[in-house]
């Protein structure tokens, strides 16, 4: 069995004196969709930032093809790993087309700033994220959902083998959430020149979306991995209770068969207070 292209070994991450992730071990399956879930402040986004070399480990390492990211040239990493952070910031007054085109920078050279291949990649990325009609609009003028789809288009235009997405469905309505996650699945499924599809790592808050779209699910709590594997193996009533502190019932999704978390209803455990006869009479008065 070949080693995963992207992995973490004894990875400890911190912000100044606050340790957030503790000796994490992770091998990201190649050509699959890996989704990281967990409660707020458990280290999901911090782990993703380290996988994209936006955060230097306190100890341990992130490895790409067996080499520590910290020792690799920035351009080489940008040609292999695309990262969409949680709150990206666009340059003022930049147009949609220009922002998406920035995803091609890692593939350009001083002697060739733009190519037909760049044009194809940008056009295709905008079409796949439904922002082609916005090409000449300023990003500043767009709604939150539109901006999010433009950023996703830029990440897709980068055409890296590995794509890291931190909460890509933020600001999106339910139909666009489904479209984006369907696209994520397609990116992992598509083959290129006989090779397997892209390796995608996504941080999501919605556990049901995670279970529906993940090939490999990683559940984190307090900076550590509590469980990982297929959604069917990971998403259990005991796991949801342990990680999220939520009483629930897990049933098969009627469409996909993946685990579906149905939250318990604490209010149902006690009868709701009923109005007194006097209150009923007052309510019935015209």
């Amino acid at each position: 069995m070949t080693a995963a292209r992207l992995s973490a070994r004894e990875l400890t991450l911190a912000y100044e004196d606050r340790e957030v992730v503790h000796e994490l071990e992770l091998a990201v399956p190649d050509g699959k969709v890996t989704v990281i879930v967990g409660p707020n402040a458990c280290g999901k986004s911090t782990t993703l930032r380290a996988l994209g070399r936006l955060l230097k480990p306190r100890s341990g390492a992130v490895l790409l093809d067996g080499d520590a990211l910290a020792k690799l040239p920035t351009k080489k990493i940008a040609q292999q790993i695309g990262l969409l952070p949680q709150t990206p910031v666009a340059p003022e007054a930049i147009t949609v087309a220009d922002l998406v085109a920035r995803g091609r920078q890692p593939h350009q050279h001083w002697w060739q700033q733009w190519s037909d291949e760049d044009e194809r990649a940008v056009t295709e990325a905008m079409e796949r994220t439904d922002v082609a009609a916005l090409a000449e609009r300023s990003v500043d003028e767009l709604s939150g959902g539109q901006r999010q789809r433009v950023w996703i288009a830029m990440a897709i235009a980068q055409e890296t083998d590995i794509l890291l997405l931190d909460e890509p469905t933020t600001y999106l309505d339910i139909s666009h959430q489904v479209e984006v996650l369907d696209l994520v699945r397609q990116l992992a499924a598509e083959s290129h020149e006989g090779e397997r599809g892209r390796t995608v790592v996504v941080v999501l808050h919605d556990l049901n979306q995670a279970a529906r779209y993940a090939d490999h699910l990683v559940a984190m709590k307090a900076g550590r991995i509590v469980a990982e594997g297929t959604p069917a193996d990971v998403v259990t009533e005991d796991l949801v209770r342990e990680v999220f502190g939520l009483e629930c019932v897990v049933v098969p999704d009627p469409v996909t068969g993946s685990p579906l978390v149905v939250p318990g209803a604490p209010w149902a455990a006690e009868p709701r207070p009923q109005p007194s006869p006097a209150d009923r009479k007052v309510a019935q008065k015209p």
Side-chain angles (χ1 to χ4, degrees):
M1 184 176 180
T2 58
R5 293 197 62 201
L6 184 65
S7 61
R9 295 290 178 266
E10 299 181 356
L11 184 66
T12 296
L13 305 170
Y15 296 107
E16 297 181 349
D17 295 331
R18 184 171 64 91
E19 195 169 285
V20 179
V21 173
H22 318 284
E23 297 185 347
L24 183 140
E25 296 278 341
L26 177 64
V28 177
D30 296 336
K32 303 289 184 182
V33 176
T34 295
V35 181
I36 304 175
V37 297
N40 291 341
C42 72
K44 304 185 299 294
S45 294
T46 299
T47 298
L48 199 77
R49 285 170 55 82
L51 292 176
R53 208 178 74 167
L54 290 186
L55 182 63
K56 182 180 179 180
R58 169 168 286 181
S59 62
V62 175
L63 305 177
L64 176 64
D65 295 327
D67 296 321
L69 281 190
K71 298 180 180 179
L72 295 175
T74 299
K75 186 166 186 175
K76 180 177 180 180
I77 294 173
Q79 291 172 345
Q80 299 293 324
I81 300 176
L83 171 63
L84 177 61
Q86 199 171 72
T87 53
V89 179
E92 186 175 354
I94 192 171
T95 67
V96 167
D98 286 342
L99 182 60
V100 177
R102 292 197 170 200
R104 299 302 301 166
Q105 289 180 350
H107 303 284
Q108 293 172 350
H109 308 281
W110 65 267
W111 67 87
Q112 184 183 36
Q113 292 300 304
W114 194 253
S115 67
D116 291 342
E117 185 67 12
D118 295 328
E119 188 70 32
R120 178 205 57 77
V122 168
T123 300
E124 185 176 292
M126 289 196 295
E127 289 174 349
R128 299 184 78 172
T129 51
D130 196 24
V131 297
L134 307 174
E136 302 307 317
R137 294 269 302 276
S138 170
V139 175
D140 296 336
E141 301 173 1
L142 304 181
S143 69
Q146 289 172 326
R147 281 197 298 271
Q148 187 71 356
R149 285 186 281 133
V150 171
W151 282 110
I152 293 169
M154 189 192 76
I156 292 172
Q158 194 173 338
E159 290 193 327
T160 54
D161 292 336
I162 299 170
L163 186 58
L164 312 178
L165 303 172
D166 193 356
E167 293 290 347
T169 56
T170 300
Y171 305 120
L172 300 181
D173 58 44
I174 185 63
S175 64
H176 280 113
Q177 287 180 31
V178 171
E179 286 177 10
V180 165
L181 293 174
D182 282 345
L183 178 56
V184 167
R185 289 289 323 160
Q186 291 170 19
L187 292 171
E190 291 172 351
S191 59
H192 177 64
E193 295 180 354
E195 298 179 358
R196 68 179 65 197
R198 300 188 202 193
T199 298
V200 186
V201 184
V202 189
V203 169
L204 289 177
H205 268 109
D206 189 312
L207 185 55
N208 285 331
Q209 287 185 344
R212 185 167 191 167
Y213 287 95
D215 297 304
H216 188 76
L217 194 60
V218 177
M220 293 186 65
K221 181 181 179 181
R224 302 182 188 277
I225 293 177
V226 177
E228 63 176 310
T230 66
D233 290 335
V234 173
V235 182
T236 64
E237 294 168 11
D238 288 342
L239 186 283
V240 174
R241 185 184 306 110
E242 177 186 357
V243 173
F244 295 94
L246 177 69
E247 295 295 335
C248 70
V249 176
V250 176
V251 298
D253 185 306
V255 176
T256 65
S258 59
L260 181 67
V261 176
V262 181
W267 52 263
E270 298 179 5
R272 290 183 173 183
Q274 299 297 315
S276 67
D279 290 334
R280 290 194 186 97
K281 289 181 180 178
V282 171
Q284 292 171 355
K285 285 185 178 181

